[in-house]
Structures are given as structure tokens and as C-alpha cells.
Amino acid sequence: MGERLKFIGWGTENSGLDEAERNLLFGFLADRLGIEPRLVAPPRLADIGLSPSRVVPPAAMAHLFTTDPYERCLHTYGKSYPETVRAFARDFANAPDLVAIPASEADVTQVMEWASGANVAIIPFGCGSSVVGGVEPDIGDRYVGAVSLDLRRFDRMVEVDRSSRAARIQGGMRGPAIEAALKPHDLSIRHYPQSFEFSTLGGWIATRSGGHFATLYTHIDDFVQSTRTVTPQGTLETRRLPGSGAGPSPDRLIIGSEGALGVITEAWMRLQDRPRFRGGAVFGFPDLFAAARAVRAVVQSGLYPSNLRVIDNQEAGIYGVNDYQETILMLAFESADHPVEAWTKRAIELIQDNGGRRHPDDSAAQAWRTAFIRMPYARELTVPLGVINDTFETAVTWDKFEEFHTAVSAATAQAIEEATGRPGTVSTRFTHVYPDGPAPYYTFNAQGTPGRLIEQWRHIKTRASDALITAGGTITHHHAVGRDHMPWYRLQRPALFGKTFDAAKSVLDPARILNPGVLAD
Amino acid sequence: MGERLKFIGWGTENSGLDEAERNLLFGFLADRLGIEPRLVAPPRLADIGLSPSRVVPPAAMAHLFTTDPYERCLHTYGKSYPETVRAFARDFANAPDLVAIPASEADVTQVMEWASGANVAIIPFGCGSSVVGGVEPDIGDRYVGAVSLDLRRFDRMVEVDRSSRAARIQGGMRGPAIEAALKPHDLSIRHYPQSFEFSTLGGWIATRSGGHFATLYTHIDDFVQSTRTVTPQGTLETRRLPGSGAGPSPDRLIIGSEGALGVITEAWMRLQDRPRFRGGAVFGFPDLFAAARAVRAVVQSGLYPSNLRVIDNQEAGIYGVNDYQETILMLAFESADHPVEAWTKRAIELIQDNGGRRHPDDSAAQAWRTAFIRMPYARELTVPLGVINDTFETAVTWDKFEEFHTAVSAATAQAIEEATGRPGTVSTRFTHVYPDGPAPYYTFNAQGTPGRLIEQWRHIKTRASDALITAGGTITHHHAVGRDHMPWYRLQRPALFGKTFDAAKSVLDPARILNPGVLAD
């Protein structure tokens, strides 16, 4: 079981940052936060005291459940900051009573029927990469217990339609397995969230995940051709179509439903041919606003680059890309069909016309990309040192952007000082951009006080989220709502829409057992 | 009032086909359907006997309503085939009792509150271009009467945000007025449904209308940044954002809601810069399937042409583009930013590699385009001659396309013979195409029997729709559901989704007065 997922931290057991990566991280902690780094071993499974399970499944379906302590611990948390803090504090009070590992839709239906009757909450679980409290069985006292329902056995590519470039994929299939199954067909899903290795198709759809393409096909939404969702009231399967105008889109009710309406057991996904041609360049700007003007010119040009990501001076410095002196813009085009010179050339012109200084090579982009993919491994090293570290992401129209960014950055920086008594770091990148506005992504780091980390984190998160909603952004562009974003989601969503969602939930999940506390009230 | 809309037929009074256009049409009728053409004057307003209005509005809001016979006749029908037949038969039994012409959201709210209490149905009305029975007050006997609610006074461009390329536009604004208001900003909505001149922004959003771009931005859906909808339970306004992942999209509940949930009073719309560079070419193919293979290659290439429309041999012949010997493919690129040579060159290669014979000029495209825009004027000439003429449109994945097209065309042709005892014509074009499938658009013409036209039409429409649903298409790609498509919409939509839509309607329109018979059961 070397491939077993860690129950605390990112990825599989025995994986983590290598020495060089660790040195970069520790250097940052020492230089920027004044923290003396040391290695602290995470709690072992044997250290965790779990309460006995409060519910027993019917004997006839006992084979679908486990109470194995590892499984209960693994399914207690996602990967959010406060969850990691509580995991290190050996707080597994919200561990699910049972973990269900169904092998078929009939199994899922059986579990839902029993749970609906027995008043047991069900928390759908893909691979547990939620950073917003989307999978923790934090169910209050309305239920007799909680089941974490793990889709890991829904791991097959069922069908490939080469001519339509589409595949029917089960909801529990993880990113690398999807790519491996598509490779013989010379196809790719080309949707790589940071969590790619340890997240699932069903999870991507349920959370409206953001992927590989910085423009145009930014969300998984665009790749969904049809969905199949098991709910307590039966199966909701949409028709497989390239486009339709027949009433409001049924898929758009399911996409982003975060396990509150049902479990996405499979979906037909639109695919891409594997790229053969590539082009691009890296540019430096004095600051984020200068880079933003260039980005706006490119994203409104109709060129549709696959990459148009920005990392500001702070982020570049923290990731070791440069010494905080430049905001970096990464431009890339790709195609399976044609050389991309004409596209690249025009985008370079637009960026240079807007003040971009072209780098001689793409080493800055490479350095950032490697650090980006490895970043989730850092937290298990920094939490025991009392570091407060989190990210939040949003989107806002161009007319509001500069004021928005100034307000959100300042509120976050100030909240760090209020909470910890010391300055921290706040850095920004653009993960995706639209003709009508960017999707800024913020990272903050601070030296917190062991024992008070969650309270301090909550103060910062609250102030940042308040600022973001007040200034006109969305509480999430692709991390989803989960439990953590609910207060601001309530402010953002139209109240009447909230009521219609609630009514939809009453139709599909009348006992209201699915992921309580998420999306519906 | 020279600009007054015809109450029967297309466009404004005193407009219609010119002599050359009429000769082309009459030639087709004589040659292909064996009908001897003659000009028949449509009924005059004075010929129409209307029942007295069954409801009287409260005195305090009497100024919002009219019972003017012209207005009641204008608001009786959209532009579908059976509606036109009934209009020519002077059947205005379903005329609304009242026409409301509110000037503000407060007016709309007042009307909705009164109607909810008085059990009066409200039929939202943009400009009446529905071809699917979307605006006829065909309300059964559950209501004491019907109000057609005309949005014509919601005709303003409220705000333009140049940097985000977006504008806040009222729901009753028609296409040409929108373009005129955007022109000083060097912007365009670039959404031109065939009905452009006589349809409204709110109508486009409510019906998921299909527009100018044959690929990529096919539906109005893609251009909607946020919506504001007045419902009987209050106003549902979504947040203006370039992108979001915060739960299922609220806009996607409104887009396609066809007046059954509320009235779209305004929307922030994503706009385009006005194109300065253009390229393209016209190609001939022996048949539709050959052209489809070329289209598939282009639409899967990532080149995103603005036009990639196909008209098959039949349609080319009927429109006078050629003598039925070729299927035509029209390719076009446009850009406000850069010359499109590289794009055009590669698309031409792909089309020629797939057997396309390039035309020396674009005269075929020009001929078709002119005929296309003028086409809606034909029906008022052909209905009195007993011609059965209608169109239907769909979308289907590439893997099913050839079988689908064969089945649907054959079923339609056979149904024409069954209904009329004679062969008619069935022709096809592609209006929009997706990487995963085309959106075929079918036109049929037959010589019917005066007095039996609707019954004959219904037989053909039913057989064609049955075939289309059985073979895996959507009942509508951009014409909407209306009353005419409800039987097949019920088959297509997931039953559980139907229940959630119904629950949403109960939340927003608890008295169920809005557009009864459309979408909800």
C-alpha cells in the first residue's frame, strides 16, 4: 500500500518535497516570516483517538462500508488550512462514522435509501482535495451520524467516441488515470487543476474546477457534454449533445452542485487532440497593473492563448523565480492542428506594445511551474511551525480590477497584522483571464501563534472575503463554496436563486442528507 | 405609424419581398410544388372579430393596459406556421384580454401582483418572433383571462463599460437599436439571429437564441454577464462577473426560461470590438456528408471561424444559389485585432484536403445570405396558397450524425407524402457547429390542402420530431421550446430536472401565472 493517500497532508505516503524544495521553502520562512525552520513529524495514525461509530449499516449492505481507522481519518478532512491545523492537533472529532465504498450505482442508491430513512448524512468524497471545507462531515446535531461516500471504485473509462472527441468517464477516475486511458486514442482532457493527481472527474464537475487553459475553456463546465447523477430520488441523466437551446441547461444545475444534490457517477466529456505545435514567451513588468493592461489587450484580441498567466513581484520572489523585482507574464499557445507562429507573434506584439520586457528564455516560467505543482506538499511542513498560509481566488470585471485589487490586498495585509501582530506576505497571480476581467488568485503567509492559528486564520479569511465581496468579486472562481465560503456565498447569490436551489434540493434529496451545510441552507 | 408591426406576417406594415424576390419564390412554388402562384391580400384588422376582454385591470393601473384591437391582434401570435395559418383564417380566439405596456420594473411588479391575485395569466412578449408557440395566450381554462406583457418600453442602453467590453441593456431593446447605441463606442453585440430586426435582448436570453458566430460563441448564453429578472416574488439579480465557480450558475436558470419564471428587464452583456479584418472562401461539395467531414476537420482544429455554414444541394437550389448540384460551405474569419490570413489559409487547406472545391468568388454566399435575411417575409405570401412550410433545428454528436440525418430527412419526406399525398421538399443547412457535433437546420415545403393545413403540418412536425428525438438530437438548438415542442421536450429533459424546474417555478411564480404551458407542466 505504498500508494495509499496520506491521511494528513498532500499526496501518497512517503511523498513530499525534496531537499532542494524544502530549502527554498525554509529560506522563505526564515527570510520573510522570521520563522526558524525545523522538521516536525506529522501525527501517526496510532496517535489519533476516534470516537466509536454511532451508526451501524444494515447487515445486507455491510460489505459496502468500513470503519477502518485509516479510512475514517482519511475521510475526515479535505486539504484546507484550518483542516490541516486540526489534523496536526489530532482533532478528528468530525470523523465519519462510516466510510462507504460503493462499486456500482445500485450500491450508491442503496446507501442513499438507507441513509435517507435513517437520517444519516452522506458526504460525497472524490479524492479529498477540497480546500474550502467541502468534504468534512461537519454536520451539526441534526443527524444520527455521517457516512463519507468514496467514489474510488468508479474508476473506468467506459467509452470513447473518437469522431466527436468525447469519452464517457466514471466520476471517481483521477486525472492521471484519465490521461492514461485517453493517450492510446491520441486524445487528452487537457484539464489540469493543481490537484490533478489527487482529484477526480466527479469532483471537478461538482466544484466547477478550473484547469489548464488560461483563456476560453477555463472551467470544467465547458468540457461537460452530459452528466449522470445518482440522487436519493433516482438517477438524473442528461442527453448527450454538442449544444442545445431546450430550456435552462440541466447540466448547469449539476455542475457546481458540490455533492448537495447527488453523486456524479459518470459524464461524457469533450476532449482535445494532443498538441503538436507550441509557442510562447515570458515577459517582465514593473508591477501587476502594468501586466494586467497587457493581459487585457491579449485576452480581448481573439487569439485565445492556452496560457496567459501572471505572477506578481511578491509571488515571483516567494517562488524563487526572481528577487521580487518583476511581475512575470507567461504566454503560450498550443495546437494539434497548425503551427502557432502567427498567433504567438501577434500576442507578443500586443504585450510589448503594453510595456512587456521579453525574457531571453522561459526559465522563469519553468521555475514557477515546478514550484506550483509541488506547492501543496509545503503545508504539512509549515503548519507545525505555526505558519498561517492560505490562498483565495476570485474574478472581477476590468473596470473594477485596480480598485478591487488594492482593497483586497490591503485588507488582507492589514488583517494579518491585526491577527498576528506582525506583517506577513500577500501575493497575487492571475490563473485565468476573460475578455471582461481577470481571475486573480491571492496567497498569504504569516507567522501565527500555535494554539491560536485557526482563530487568526479566520480573522484574515473573513476580512479578505468581506473586502472581496464588497469590491465586486466572486467568493470563488474555481475552489468552490464548501462550508468555508457559505457566509459570503449567501451575500453573493441572488436570494431568490438560493430559494430555487433549496427547492431543487428538496426535490432530489427530500431528507436533506447530502453534504449538509454546503450550498443549501 | 408607418413603422408599426404587421399583426399578420413579418416586419412592419408596408414591408415585404420585392418583385425579384417574389419571382424567385413563385418560381420555386410552381416548379417544385406545382402551385400556381398568385397574390392574396392578408386579412385587415377590420376583418377580425375579437371577443370582449374578460378582465378589467384595477383603475389605479389602468394606464398600463390597452384593449386596442390592433394591439390585441398583434399579441395573439408569434411567427410559427400554424399561427400564421390561423391568423389568415381570422381565428383570433386566443387574443389576450389585455396588453400591458409597462414602463418600469415597478409597473411590471404591479401587474404581476395583480395578476397573481386575480388568477390572470401573463405572457411576456418581446417582439413576437417566436416560431414555436412561445407567446400565444393559449392558456386553457384554468385562468380568468390573459395579459400579454410587452417590454417595448424597456428600450434603453443604460451603461457601457468600455474596458470590460460590456453594456447594461434593457430587455426590450431590439437588435438594430442595440447596435446603433454601441456603434459610438466602436463595440458590437455581434449576435444576429435571423429575427435580429424584430426581436429583443430579453427574448434572445429567454430563448437561448443562436447568433452570428457559427463556432465558439454560438448562443446568446456565452455573452450574458449578468441578468436582472422581475418575478412575482421579487427581483432576481445576478452578480456581474467575468467568470465564477460559486455553485450552479444563477444566470443559467434564467437563460432559456422562456418567460415561465419572470421577465428579464435588463442584462449586462459581453460585447465584441467591431471587426476590421476579414477573410474567407466558398466551397462546393457533392453532398452534405462530404461537406460535414470538412466542417468537422475545421471545427476540431481550434481555428474558430466566425462562419462555417453549410447549405445542402436542396437548400442551395431552393434559394437560387445554384441548380441543386452542389452543397455549399461558407467559411469566414473576422477580427478587430489582426489580419486573419494564417487562420483562413489553414482552414482552406483543411477543407480542400477534405474534398472541397473552392469557388472563384463568394457570389453563392452572397445570394444565400440575402435570401436568408428576407426569408421570413415569404410565409405571408405562401400560406394563402396552401403551402405548408416550416423549419426545425437540432444538434447531434458527430458519431450519430449521418444516421441521424438520414432518419430525420426520410421521416420528414415520408410524413409529407402521408399528410398531403404528394412529395414535398426537405432541405438542410448547418447553422452552427461544435467540435463534438453539428447543429443541422431543416426546412420543408409541401403543397397542402386549404382547410387541412394545420392538421397536415402537425403530422409532419410530429413525425420529424419523433425521428429527431429517437435518433439522439435535441428538440431545439436555438428556436426554444414554446408550446409546440413541449411533448418532445418532456422526452428529452431528465424527468428529475423537470421536477426541479417545476419547484423553481413554484418559488418564483407561486400562482403559476407566467406563460402557462411553456417548460413547466
Side-chain angles (χ1 to χ4, degrees), chain A residues 43 114 123 134 153 162 228 235 240 363 386 441 446 449 477 518:
Chain A
W114 162 70
I123 320 292
R153 287 187 186 158
R162 190 65 186 79
R228 188 172 159 92
T235 300
R240 202 190 145 206
S363 55
Y441 188 108
T449 315
H477 174 264
V518 173

Side-chain angles (χ1 to χ4, degrees), chain A residues 159-161 164-168 225 240 268-271:
Chain A
E159 214 175 323
V160 174
D161 166 6
S164 310
R165 291 200 320 201
R168 185 150 71 98
Q225 196 181 63
R240 202 190 145 206
W268 272 98
M269 299 302 296
R270 300 180 178 127
L271 306 170

Side-chain angles (χ1 to χ4, degrees), chain B residues 436-454:
Chain B
D436 49 338
Y441 188 106
Y442 296 89
T443 303
F444 62 85
N445 288 282
Q447 182 185 352
T449 315
R452 292 185 53 213
L453 293 177
I454 291 180

Side-chain angles (χ1 to χ4, degrees), chain A residues 161 163-165 208 225 239 244-245 247-248 256 270 296 300-301 337-338 346 398-399 436 469 473-474 476, chain B residues 161 163-165 208 225 239 244-245 247-248 256 270 296 300-301 337-338 346 398-399 436 469 473-474 476:
Chain A
D161 166 6
S163 69
S164 310
R165 291 200 320 201
R208 301 182 68 182
Q225 196 181 63
R239 182 166 277 230
S244 179
R270 300 180 178 127
R296 183 164 81 86
Q300 294 186 345
S301 69
D337 179 70
H338 46 263
R346 177 58 187 150
W398 288 115
D399 60 321
D436 50 338
I469 287 293
T474 171
T476 177
Chain B
D161 166 7
S163 69
S164 311
R165 292 200 320 203
R208 301 182 67 181
Q225 196 181 63
R239 183 166 276 231
S244 179
R270 300 181 179 127
R296 183 164 81 86
Q300 294 186 344
S301 69
D337 179 70
H338 46 264
R346 177 58 186 151
W398 288 116
D399 60 321
D436 49 338
I469 287 292
T474 171
T476 177

Side-chain angles (χ1 to χ4, degrees), chain A residues 85 386 448-456:
Chain A
V85 173
T449 315
R452 293 185 52 213
L453 294 176
I454 291 180
E455 165 203 336
Q456 291 170 326

Side-chain angles (χ1 to χ4, degrees), chain B residues 208-448:
Chain B
R208 301 182 67 181
S209 117
H212 169 77
F213 293 105
T215 73
L216 207 54
Y217 299 123
T218 54
H219 281 99
I220 194 75
D221 312 26
D222 303 313
F223 295 140
V224 174
Q225 196 181 63
S226 73
T227 50
R228 187 172 160 92
T229 305
V230 174
T231 82
Q233 291 296 293
T235 300
L236 194 163
E237 182 170 14
T238 66
R239 183 166 276 231
R240 202 190 145 205
L241 293 167
S244 179
S249 162
D251 287 314
R252 297 286 180 160
L253 174 67
I254 298 302
I255 298 170
S257 60
E258 300 193 22
L261 300 182
V263 165
I264 300 161
T265 53
E266 59 180 54
W268 273 98
M269 299 301 295
R270 300 181 179 127
L271 306 170
Q272 309 297 312
D273 290 310
R274 300 180 82 85
R276 299 190 301 131
F277 304 94
R278 289 194 168 82
V282 178
F283 304 85
F285 288 88
D287 59 41
L288 180 63
F289 290 170
R293 286 187 288 274
V295 162
R296 183 164 81 86
V298 176
V299 81
Q300 294 186 344
S301 69
L303 291 165
Y304 309 121
S306 56
N307 198 355
L308 190 62
R309 289 184 170 88
V310 173
I311 49 174
D312 79 349
N313 305 45
Q314 282 296 316
E315 188 117 343
I318 293 170
Y319 277 87
V321 172
N322 63 34
D323 200 19
Y324 299 89
Q325 79 272 31
E326 262 194 344
T327 287
I328 305 293
L329 190 161
M330 291 173 276
L331 169 75
F333 288 90
E334 61 176 53
S335 172
D337 179 70
H338 46 264
V340 294
E341 275 83 7
W343 287 248
T344 310
K345 183 167 168 288
R346 177 58 186 151
I348 289 172
E349 275 174 14
L350 284 166
I351 293 168
Q352 290 180 328
D353 287 352
N354 281 276
R357 293 181 295 260
R358 187 167 177 186
H359 284 204
D361 60 40
D362 69 348
S363 55
Q366 293 292 0
W368 179 81
R369 199 172 297 124
T370 305
F372 166 77
I373 293 166
R374 304 289 291 166
M375 206 268 280
Y377 289 103
R379 191 176 274 151
E380 60 212 67
L381 301 181
T382 58
V383 160
L385 303 180
V387 175
I388 302 172
N389 156 267
D390 203 4
T391 65
F392 58 91
E393 32 79 72
T394 183
V396 69
T397 46
W398 288 116
D399 60 321
K400 302 193 186 100
F401 166 64
E402 294 197 2
E403 208 171 313
F404 172 93
H405 175 71
T406 304
V408 170
S409 308
T412 309
Q414 192 189 323
I416 289 171
E417 294 218 35
E418 289 163 1
T420 68
R422 297 181 198 86
T425 68
V426 182
S427 63
T428 313
R429 57 180 186 259
F430 288 174
T431 58
H432 304 84
V433 282
Y434 300 89
D436 49 338
Y441 188 106
Y442 296 89
T443 303
F444 62 85
N445 288 282
Q447 182 185 352

